[in-house]
């Protein structure tokens, strides 16, 4: 199996790159402030350290150069010159190219899609908390409604008892007594019907609300588009020697990250078009009585299951006469038949291949820009429209669905958890007993259509515990074909076939390579969607391993504000058999240490708030925890820093740029022996 050494670094580097780019644009617009420059220096330093961990020295040097460029403004209120901002942005462009160039191991489209989903950022924590509260409140309401249905079930019992009496009394009993019992039964059943009907209706409404709330947690805020659009507007304006400002609204609208990925290219093209064709030169705007700075506005609105992206400008508008001339030159039949009206000409413009630019530039002139917009709408099953007013501006509306990518899957249950596997990778299902399995040269195996294929129980592949430790119940096996071969995946039972919409996992949800995403079932419950290629790879690799004895594992706490470092260290330590928890700061780590015991701590030095030296000092002052071994893993390599680490009580000091996995594991084994 080819491991992806840059999986977490790409996620963190993209996030840090985006924040640095946003900060550079803020520097240009608002001037330097101590807080802004300090934040950017911190981001650049974190990126440098993360790059060194994964041996990407070019990216680390670029981040260091950004630090050098920002340093003069640390204490200076002066606004950076445009050339200085350009230099920072060029460094960021180089870093972006370096991150993009990091290769992903060969995999299926589904695995690539899963990384795109994991890379997508989730919205502001405050909003996530509010949505989680809404979902939990819906669950509580659902429980209350269920109590009413339980009361109805009791009423059913009473009705059954009355019916039994009616049957018994009907034998030789007086007619009036039977009539009285029948009337009572009618009243009980009538009340039961009303109560159950109301309860079921209420429950359905509550479950729909819960499902909608759960879906919201898996969507991405549209504001993640704004930074790249701001940069696009700035670069286009500089290239055209114009003054342009970008206004945005609707960033709180959330939608499928894959939709955003497609829409981003279309909106970038619309912003470029607005700068090149729509916004006039400063002199022309002043002559027309307009402000010297042109404005481009991006507005995002949601209407049910659709989302509307509106890009408008206050420029000159589309020159319909020029479009008519260009269309005629391109041989669209104008002049040889009925004359097209303005709306028809604009629709012709949307089809692409027509340009009104007098010459080709790096921004416009080839007539292919609107092809990108049209193709985005077609790819997403949406629509694009264009409205223009001569002398006042142009508006494009791109309307697309919030989510896409429906998928036929086979749902299976194992250890009480229902997961799904893409149906096109399933080659069959079979009933399995312990006697059907055998040990062969390729490990635990199952005969299928005359072939011996690796067998592995799903809970082991997903690293989840069995309900009863040691009691590995086998019910069925799903034969899955991946890019590297075929394997049998053991499950408790096969649930059935379903059509789902695959969603991204929350960005901080730690999922193994076998997880491609998630879906929401009809009851509002999230279900993992598994990647068949990775399932087969894991099964073929793990089938040759003997089951690990159920022995207690050492618990290690990793403390680092860098996602790349945390995930890298966690992956290394978990692969070595340790139980690993993570903390994002010294304060967070102290809180975790107060809640449970850890056998060892790995800690960074430079973190927001409490640094690693102070953390170890605090740890050594705690009588109950002072004996816990601590290792510093940091980008600081000076002899003074190493000596300070030893002075505060660290049992090890590892430099990220010299990071060696064997050395780390060896040091840990010796400290825990």
């Amino acid at each position: 199996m080819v491991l992806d050494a840059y999986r977490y670094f790409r996620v963190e580097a993209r996030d840090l790159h985006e924040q640095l780019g946003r900060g550079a644009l803020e520097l240009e617009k608002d001037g330097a402030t101590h807080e802004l420059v300090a934040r950017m220096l911190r981001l650049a330093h974190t990126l440098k350290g993360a790059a060194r961990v994964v041996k990407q020295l070019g990216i680390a040097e670029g981040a260091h150069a950004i630090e050098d460029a920002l340093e003069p403004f640390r204490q200076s209120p002066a606004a950076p010159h445009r050339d200085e901002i350009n230099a920072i942005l060029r460094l960021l462009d180089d870093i972006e190219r370096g991150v993009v160039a990091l290769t992903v191991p060969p995999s299926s489209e589904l695995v690539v899609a899963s990384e795109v989903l994991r890379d997508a950022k989730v919205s502001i924590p405050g909003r996530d908390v509010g949505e989680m509260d809404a979902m939990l409140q819906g669950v509580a309401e659902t429980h209350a409604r269920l109590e009413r249905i339980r009361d109805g079930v009791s009423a059913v019992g009473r009705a059954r008892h009355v019916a039994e009496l009616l049957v018994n009394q009907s034998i030789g009993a007086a007619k009036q007594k039977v009539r009285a019992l029948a009337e009572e039964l009618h009243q009980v059943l009538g009340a039961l019907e009303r109560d159950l009907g109301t309860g079921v209706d209420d429950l359905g409404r509550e479950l729909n609300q819960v499902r909608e709330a759960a879906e919201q947690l898996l969507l991405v805020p549209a504001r993640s588009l704004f930074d790249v659009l701001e940069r696009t507007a700035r670069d286009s304006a500089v290239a055209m020697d114009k003054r342009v400002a970008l206004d945005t609204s609707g960033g709180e609208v959330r939608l499928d990250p894959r939709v955003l990925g497609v829409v981003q290219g279309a909106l970038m093209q619309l912003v470029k078009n607005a700068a090149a064709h729509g916004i006039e030169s400063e002199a022309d705007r002043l002559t027309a009585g307009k402000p010297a700075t042109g404005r481009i506005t991006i507005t995002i609105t949601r209407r049910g299951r659709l989302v509307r992206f509106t890009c408008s400008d206050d420029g000159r508008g589309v020159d319909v006469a020029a479009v008519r001339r260009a269309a005629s030159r391109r041989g669209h039949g104008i002049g040889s038949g009925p004359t097209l009206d303005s709306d028809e000409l604009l629709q012709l413009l949307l089809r692409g291949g027509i340009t009104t630019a007098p010459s080709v530039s790096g921004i416009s002139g080839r007539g292919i820009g609107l092809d990108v917009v049209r193709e985005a709408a077609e790819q997403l099953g949406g629509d694009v429209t264009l409205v223009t007013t001569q002398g006042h501006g142009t508006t494009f509306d791109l309307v697309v669905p919030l989510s896409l990518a429906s998928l036929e899957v086979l749902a299976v249950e194992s250890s009480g958890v229902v997961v799904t596997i893409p149906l096109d990778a399933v080659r069959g299902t079979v009933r399995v007993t312990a006697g059907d399995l055998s040990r062969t040269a390729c490990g635990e195996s199952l005969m299928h259509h005359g072939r011996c294929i690796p067998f592995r129980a799903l809970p082991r592949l997903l690293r989840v515990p069995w309900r009863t430790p040691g009691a590995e119940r086998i019910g069925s096996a799903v034969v899955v074909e991946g890019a590297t071969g075929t394997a049998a995946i053991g499950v408790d039972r096969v649930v059935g076939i379903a059509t789902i919409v695959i969603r991204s996992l929350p960005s901080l949800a730690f999922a193994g390579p076998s997880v491609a995403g998630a879906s929401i079932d009809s009851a509002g419950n999230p279900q993992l969607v598994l990647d068949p290629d990775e399932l087969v790879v894991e099964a073929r690799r793990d089938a040759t391993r003997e089951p690990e004895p159920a022995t207690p594992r050492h618990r290690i706490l990793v403390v680092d504000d860098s996602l790349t470092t945390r995930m890298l260290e966690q992956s290394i330590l978990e692969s070595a058999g340790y139980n690993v928890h993570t903390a994002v700061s010294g304060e967070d780590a102290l809180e975790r240490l107060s809640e449970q015991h850890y056998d060892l701590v790995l800690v960074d030095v430079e973190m927001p708030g409490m640094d690693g030296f102070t953390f170890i000092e605090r740890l050594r002052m705690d009588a109950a925890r002072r004996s816990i071994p601590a290792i510093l893993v940091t980008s600081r390599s000076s002899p003074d820093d190493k000596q300070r680490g030893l002075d505060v009580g660290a049992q090890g000091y590892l430099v990220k740029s010299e990071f060696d996995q064997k050395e780390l594991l060896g040091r840990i084994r010796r400290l825990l022996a």
Side-chain angles (χ1 to χ4, degrees):
M1 176 182 178
V2 180
L3 297 178
D4 183 1
Y6 309 115
R7 172 184 172 191
Y8 297 107
F9 175 71
R10 281 194 297 271
V11 177
E12 181 176 27
R14 288 167 183 158
D15 180 55
L16 294 171
H17 175 274
E18 179 182 319
Q19 294 186 63
L20 283 166
R22 187 186 310 134
L25 295 176
E26 290 178 16
L27 277 177
E28 184 174 44
K29 288 193 299 185
D30 305 328
T33 65
H34 173 73
E35 293 79 8
L36 176 57
V37 173
R39 176 164 57 85
M40 292 183 68
L41 283 168
R42 175 67 195 168
L43 292 170
H45 182 81
T46 301
L47 178 57
K48 179 174 67 177
R52 285 177 175 171
V53 167
V54 294
K55 303 296 192 297
Q56 290 300 308
L57 299 184
I59 296 175
E61 290 170 359
H64 185 73
I66 291 175
E67 289 181 307
D68 290 341
L70 291 170
E71 187 62 34
F73 302 100
R74 185 193 288 268
Q75 301 297 335
S76 172
H81 190 270
R82 172 175 279 188
D83 291 342
E84 293 168 316
I85 296 297
N86 286 340
I88 293 175
L89 292 175
R90 282 195 297 272
L91 288 168
L92 287 171
D93 289 341
D94 291 341
I95 289 172
E96 182 179 27
R97 284 190 287 271
V99 174
V100 170
L102 297 178
T103 57
V104 181
S107 57
S108 69
E109 292 182 1
L110 190 55
V111 176
V112 174
S114 72
E115 175 162 323
V116 172
L117 298 183
R118 285 192 291 264
D119 287 355
K121 291 178 287 300
V122 176
S123 68
I124 300 172
R127 183 168 172 81
D128 287 342
V129 170
E131 288 165 348
M132 184 64 76
D133 286 342
M135 185 172 67
L136 293 176
Q137 183 177 354
V139 172
E141 291 290 339
T142 302
H143 280 295
R145 305 300 182 189
L146 284 174
E147 290 301 322
R148 290 182 58 183
I149 293 180
R150 290 193 183 96
D151 293 340
V153 173
S154 298
V156 171
R158 293 195 300 273
R160 181 181 57 80
H161 180 64
V162 171
E164 184 179 359
L165 291 176
L166 179 60
V167 171
N168 293 335
Q169 291 291 337
S170 63
I171 302 175
K175 289 184 179 181
Q176 56 269 33
K177 191 169 184 178
V178 174
R179 180 179 179 84
L181 288 171
E183 289 176 350
E184 183 180 354
L185 176 60
H186 183 269
Q187 293 172 358
V188 171
L189 291 176
L192 172 62
E193 183 180 12
R194 289 191 298 273
D195 289 345
L196 284 179
T198 302
V200 169
D201 290 344
D202 291 342
L203 181 59
R205 284 192 294 270
E206 296 296 343
L207 286 176
N208 285 335
Q209 293 176 11
V210 172
R211 182 174 184 179
E212 290 176 3
E215 286 180 344
Q216 284 294 304
L217 295 178
L218 300 177
L219 301 179
V220 177
R223 68 170 59 86
S224 60
L225 294 172
F226 291 164
D227 290 333
V228 69
L229 295 179
E230 180 105 19
R231 176 72 186 276
T232 300
R234 178 197 183 275
D235 290 350
S236 301
V238 170
M240 302 298 294
D241 195 24
K242 297 178 180 179
R243 294 174 60 180
V244 174
L246 180 72
D247 297 326
T248 57
S249 63
E252 70 282 356
V253 175
R254 302 174 67 149
L255 60 161
D256 190 315
R258 287 155 300 186
V259 173
L260 281 182
V262 176
V263 167
Q264 176 175 300
L267 291 180
M268 289 174 64
Q269 188 59 54
L270 290 177
V271 169
K272 290 178 183 178
N273 279 0
H277 301 295
I279 302 298
E280 310 93 333
S281 67
E282 184 175 347
D284 288 346
R285 290 183 65 84
L286 292 175
T287 300
K290 295 181 179 182
T293 300
R295 307 204 77 82
I296 301 173
T297 302
I298 301 293
T299 305
I300 304 172
T301 53
R302 175 179 174 178
R303 293 292 182 271
R305 290 286 175 178
L306 298 177
V307 60
R308 180 186 301 273
F309 296 86
T310 301
C311 178
S312 60
D313 65 71
D314 66 348
R316 61 171 60 90
V318 175
D319 187 340
V320 177
V323 174
R324 188 183 303 277
R325 291 191 297 272
S328 179
R329 289 194 302 269
R330 297 286 295 181
H332 287 282
I334 295 178
S336 61
T339 301
L340 298 178
D341 61 24
S342 296
D343 289 340
E344 291 171 321
L345 280 170
L346 293 179
Q347 289 303 311
L348 190 62
L349 184 64
L350 284 175
R351 295 177 197 168
I354 297 177
T355 180
T356 59
S359 61
V360 175
S361 71
I363 301 297
S364 64
R366 299 190 186 275
I368 61 175
L370 291 182
D371 288 351
V372 177
V373 182
R374 187 192 69 254
E375 289 170 2
E378 292 174 352
Q379 181 178 345
L380 297 173
D383 188 30
V384 60
T385 58
L386 164 62
V387 176
T388 189
T389 303
Q390 194 72 29
H392 294 281
T394 302
T395 297
F396 286 87
D397 276 329
L398 177 62
V399 181
V400 299
L402 283 170
S403 63
L404 48 95
S406 63
L407 187 69
E408 272 199 313
V409 294
L410 179 69
V412 297
E413 182 179 338
S414 189
S415 293
V417 177
V418 176
V419 299
T420 58
I421 304 170
L423 191 61
D424 60 3
V426 176
R427 295 296 172 262
T429 61
V430 294
R431 295 289 299 171
V432 178
T433 64
D436 296 324
L437 302 177
S438 60
R439 296 291 302 181
T440 66
C442 61
E444 195 168 25
S445 303
L446 176 72
M447 292 298 296
H448 180 68
H449 290 174
R451 289 193 304 144
C452 180
I453 60 176
F455 172 88
R456 199 62 171 165
L458 183 60
R460 289 192 179 277
L461 295 180
L462 299 182
R463 306 296 192 266
V464 298
W466 296 93
R467 263 186 226 163
T468 304
E472 300 188 1
R473 297 171 302 143
I474 301 170
S476 299
V478 180
V479 180
V480 177
E481 183 176 348
T484 59
T486 305
I489 310 301
V491 299
D492 291 348
R493 68 184 183 97
V494 174
V495 177
I497 295 173
T499 300
I500 57 116
V501 174
I502 188 171
R503 306 284 190 179
S504 63
L505 292 170
S507 62
L508 294 183
F510 183 76
S514 298
V515 178
S519 65
I520 305 296
D521 68 12
S522 60
N525 301 311
Q527 293 178 343
L528 294 180
V529 182
L530 304 183
D531 176 0
D533 288 345
E534 288 294 339
L535 275 179
V536 172
V537 168
E538 289 286 314
R540 296 176 72 88
R541 181 186 65 187
D542 288 353
T544 60
R545 297 178 180 173
E546 293 294 334
E548 298 178 0
T551 56
R553 296 188 297 164
H554 288 291
R555 186 181 290 121
I556 296 178
L557 180 63
V558 173
V559 190
D560 201 302
D561 64 317
S562 166
L563 172 65
T564 298
T565 305
R566 287 198 310 275
M567 293 298 98
L568 176 64
E569 293 176 1
Q570 182 180 36
S571 177
I572 291 171
L573 295 174
E574 287 184 334
S575 297
Y578 296 109
N579 185 358
V580 184
H581 295 184
T582 62
V584 299
S585 66
E587 293 84 354
D588 183 22
L590 289 176
E591 182 175 348
R592 291 178 180 273
L593 283 162
S594 68
E595 295 171 349
Q596 58 184 309
H597 173 74
Y598 289 93
D599 300 296
L600 184 139
V601 180
L602 294 183
V603 59
D604 186 24
V605 170
E606 294 181 290
M607 297 182 291
M610 182 187 304
D611 64 19
F613 296 133
T614 305
F615 168 78
I616 294 180
E617 287 177 336
R618 293 276 298 274
L619 187 64
R620 298 296 173 245
M621 293 169 60
D622 186 338
R625 299 172 182 83
R626 64 176 53 166
S627 61
I628 298 176
I631 299 176
L632 287 165
V633 182
T634 175
S635 58
R636 294 170 64 162
S637 58
S638 71
D640 290 342
D641 287 326
K642 293 181 180 179
Q643 185 59 49
R644 185 181 175 190
L646 296 176
D647 292 342
V648 298
Q651 280 83 2
Y653 194 103
L654 301 179
V655 179
K656 290 181 180 179
S657 60
E658 304 168 0
F659 187 83
D660 183 90
Q661 177 175 330
K662 291 183 179 179
E663 180 184 354
L664 172 64
L665 294 176
R667 182 73 59 89
I668 290 174
R669 280 194 296 268
R670 289 192 295 272
L671 289 173
L672 294 178

